[in-house]
Amino acid sequence: MIGRLRSGMEAIGPVRMAFVCSLLLSAFAVWNAPLLNRDGMFYVEWAQDIVDHGMDGARQYGLLLAVLPAAIAAIGALTSLSLEAAAHLLNALLMAGACSLLVAIVRRRLPEAAWIACLVVLAMPGYNEYRGQVLREYGLWFFGLLALWLAMRWEASGRWREALACQLAVLCAALFRIEALAYFPALMLWQALASPAGTRLRRVLMIGCLPLAGAALAATLLGSGLVEMPSRLAHLSQAFNPLAKSQAFNEMAGRMSDLLFGHKYTREEAAYVLFFGLLTIIPVKFLKMSSVFVVPMAYAFAGRPLRAVLAGWQPLGWIFLAHVLVLAAYVTYHFFLVGRYVGMLNLLAVPVVAAGLSALMRRFPRWRGFMIVLAVLALLANVVSLSPKSTQIADAGKWLAAQRVEATRLYIENPRIAYYAGLRYAGRKPLSREELAQALAEDRYDMLVLEAPGRERGDFDAWLSANHLKVVRQFPGKAGSAVIVAIPAGAQASPAITQRSRSNTGPSE
């Protein structure tokens, strides 16, 4: 039985196995996710605008950001799937492709670790935990790794076909996340230092001809005033602009020193504390999102110089460094860093982790089964949640969709509820409690959909009473939180609301 299973796996191969298992994990993660993520709602609505209005809908928020919504709209039109399902399908395919590419890279450079890489790439938390979400990062991950795979093939063949395909893959990655443009100088530096003497200039130009030509053309057009720099590129350039960064940094350091540092000598060092404190976010998030795979990653470097370990995986190390520099520029400009932005680093670490885990299994064969079980548990933890699902937002939205309330007379505090009610998610800005009280005093709303906190519920109830609101429907969530539907005390709820409230409130409350 075991022999038959092993022969079947060998027939499939680790690359195809990674692709199929990744699709299954994505399907399970979507099924297990009660709500679409906020970014996903925005992209699905934008895709609907493209379906309804064509290019006018694509330009709504900028063409550089419209690639994902346009792809969602195209898949929806071709498959007759809902746009939300089309978005999940696209992301699942991109994720499966990224996993397969990583296994193919490991099989190319370290064949004996290919199956271990298949397990690692499906279990690493840094990016697998986002499988249930609709994000632009999937395009960056797939096309960025495709560029890495093509660069390795080009290094072996030296053909123009692979060189141009690699650069086109980077451009495709940049259409999803503009930060991928940093991979171009990484690839060129790789060849400038790794190519044999006498061939360096030629190979640098081969792997960098498209970005060099594009930069020259852009400089000419921008310098002549024929075109304006896209807002997205202008925003990115500010993150790398030392003057703009210095001004914002000094302002933030001044605020921090006023709040936290009392001693004058400490206040003088506030900028250094802030700068290096922000930079530590990158390695902390990277190690945290690596989870149990930190151990085999460290073992891969045990007793070996860093350069010797990375030499067999180049240009992986150069792209890793380029992405770290992008993250450093981002976190020191925006003063925060979302975990999924670090996911590319975890993906790039998979070959090294697979090599380290393979070495660990050879060094400690008796612990091989335990290591595999630990990796499988990490895999399941990424897509399985044992906590009760919070469905109150979706339930409230679907209930609200069945009511006949004029949209202009309806206030929805959480935009996600509006999405499930069939109303617009994008462009909604919640009001403060003071602003909402003023709006009620001016009789601007007939119905309010609010989120009641799980703790300090007394303050929320007191606010409802002070503004003469009565609750007609509740959708309870976790830890005592709830979505509340309220109307002014002097108003009369429609028969439909009253009937539904009486028939449904009992078991819900």
Side-chain angles (χ1 to χ4, degrees):
M1 180 65 180
I2 296 177
R4 188 177 301 176
L5 178 62
R6 181 176 299 176
S7 61
M9 291 178 62
E10 291 297 336
I12 296 173
V15 175
R16 286 193 290 266
M17 181 66 76
F19 188 88
V20 173
C21 290
S22 179
L23 288 178
L24 293 175
L25 287 174
S26 294
F28 189 83
V30 171
W31 173 81
N32 196 51
L35 294 175
L36 184 63
N37 59 306
R38 296 176 184 271
D39 286 355
M41 294 177 181
F42 171 73
Y43 295 131
V44 169
E45 284 192 352
W46 193 355
Q48 186 62 58
D49 291 337
I50 294 174
V51 170
D52 295 338
H53 307 291
M55 287 302 296
D56 290 337
R59 294 190 185 96
Q60 186 173 0
Y61 303 102
L63 286 176
L64 282 179
L65 296 176
V67 174
L68 178 58
I72 294 171
I75 292 177
L78 292 173
T79 62
S80 298
L81 291 171
S82 69
L83 292 179
E84 187 172 328
H88 283 303
L89 175 61
L90 173 62
N91 281 181
L93 291 172
L94 291 172
M95 186 66 178
C99 292
S100 297
L101 285 167
L102 277 172
V103 178
I105 288 171
V106 174
R107 187 177 63 176
R108 183 180 183 88
R109 297 290 175 92
L110 193 65
E112 63 271 20
W115 279 106
I116 296 175
C118 180
L119 178 59
V120 171
V121 77
L122 296 173
M124 179 78 75
Y127 47 88
N128 280 297
E129 62 186 14
Y130 297 105
R131 285 184 178 273
Q133 301 184 20
V134 175
L135 301 168
R136 286 187 292 146
E137 275 69 20
Y138 291 105
L140 167 68
W141 296 343
F142 172 73
F143 287 107
L145 293 173
L146 178 61
L148 175 62
W149 181 71
L150 289 168
M152 290 180 172
R153 288 173 58 91
W154 169 74
E155 183 185 27
S157 68
R159 293 180 299 187
W160 273 100
R161 184 177 65 182
E162 281 82 4
L164 293 175
C166 173
Q167 295 168 73
L168 290 175
V170 175
L171 289 175
C172 289
L175 291 176
F176 287 88
R177 297 291 311 188
I178 195 70
E179 296 89 340
L181 292 176
Y183 299 165
F184 280 128
L187 292 170
M188 296 169 69
L189 279 171
W190 163 52
Q191 282 304 298
L193 297 176
S195 298
T199 64
R200 290 177 181 175
L201 180 59
R202 175 179 176 274
R203 292 182 71 86
V204 167
L205 292 176
M206 280 187 71
I207 201 66
C209 58
L210 291 185
L212 290 174
L217 178 60
T220 302
L221 294 175
L222 292 173
S224 62
L226 295 176
V227 297
E228 295 183 359
M229 180 179 291
S231 59
R232 189 68 180 172
L233 281 176
H235 177 75
L236 180 64
S237 65
Q238 288 299 309
F240 290 91
N241 185 339
L243 295 178
K245 188 186 293 289
S246 175
Q247 181 179 0
F249 215 82
N250 289 333
E251 292 178 1
M252 185 61 69
R255 295 177 189 175
M256 186 180 73
S257 62
D258 292 339
L259 292 173
L260 301 178
F261 301 142
H263 201 284
K264 67 174 184 177
Y265 295 110
T266 309
R267 291 166 62 91
E268 292 175 357
E269 309 299 329
Y272 298 102
V273 174
L274 179 60
F275 179 75
F276 289 105
L278 288 171
L279 289 182
T280 58
I281 295 176
I282 301 172
V284 167
K285 281 189 176 292
F286 171 68
L287 294 175
K288 180 180 178 181
M289 295 169 70
S290 298
S291 186
V292 296
F293 296 103
V294 169
V295 176
M297 187 192 308
Y299 191 78
F301 294 97
R304 299 180 62 192
L306 176 65
R307 185 172 182 178
V309 175
L310 296 179
W313 303 107
Q314 294 296 5
L316 183 149
W318 285 102
I319 294 180
F320 188 97
L321 177 61
H323 201 79
V324 168
L325 293 177
V326 168
L327 294 179
Y330 184 95
V331 75
T332 54
Y333 183 71
H334 293 282
F335 303 105
F336 76 93
L337 188 64
V338 180
R340 68 175 185 267
Y341 297 166
V342 188
M344 186 64 178
L345 298 183
N346 292 99
L347 280 163
L348 293 170
V350 166
V352 176
V353 173
L357 187 56
S358 177
L360 271 175
M361 288 181 177
R362 291 194 305 269
R363 177 67 177 82
F364 305 100
R366 293 184 178 181
W367 291 90
R368 181 185 181 95
F370 174 75
M371 296 177 196
I372 293 175
V373 169
L374 201 60
V376 171
L377 290 176
L379 181 152
L380 294 175
N382 294 325
V383 296
V384 176
S385 176
L386 300 179
S387 60
K389 296 181 180 180
S390 300
T391 61
Q392 71 273 17
I393 289 177
D395 293 341
K398 293 172 183 177
W399 177 86
L400 192 61
Q403 313 306 315
R404 295 181 179 179
V405 181
E406 186 180 350
T408 57
R409 303 286 298 175
L410 173 65
Y411 173 76
I412 302 176
E413 185 174 42
N414 189 336
R416 293 185 296 173
I417 300 174
Y419 174 84
Y420 284 103
L423 304 173
R424 294 287 299 183
Y425 167 84
R428 290 182 178 271
K429 295 182 179 180
L431 302 176
S432 65
R433 288 285 184 253
E434 293 76 14
E435 293 171 333
L436 186 55
Q438 180 63 31
L440 288 169
E442 297 172 358
D443 191 28
R444 286 160 49 187
Y445 297 116
D446 294 330
M447 179 181 290
L448 294 87
V449 183
L450 308 172
E451 287 190 299
R455 298 177 181 178
E456 300 180 1
R457 181 67 180 267
D459 294 340
F460 179 79
D461 292 336
W463 184 87
L464 290 177
S465 178
N467 288 277
H468 310 292
L469 294 171
K470 64 179 180 180
V471 176
V472 297
R473 191 72 167 85
Q474 293 194 42
F475 300 89
K478 295 188 296 186
S481 63
V483 173
I484 301 295
V485 180
I487 62 174
Q492 295 294 326
S494 68
I497 295 177
T498 305
Q499 183 179 0
R500 284 185 172 86
S501 179
R502 288 175 179 173
S503 61
N504 295 335
T505 304
S508 297
E509 293 180 344

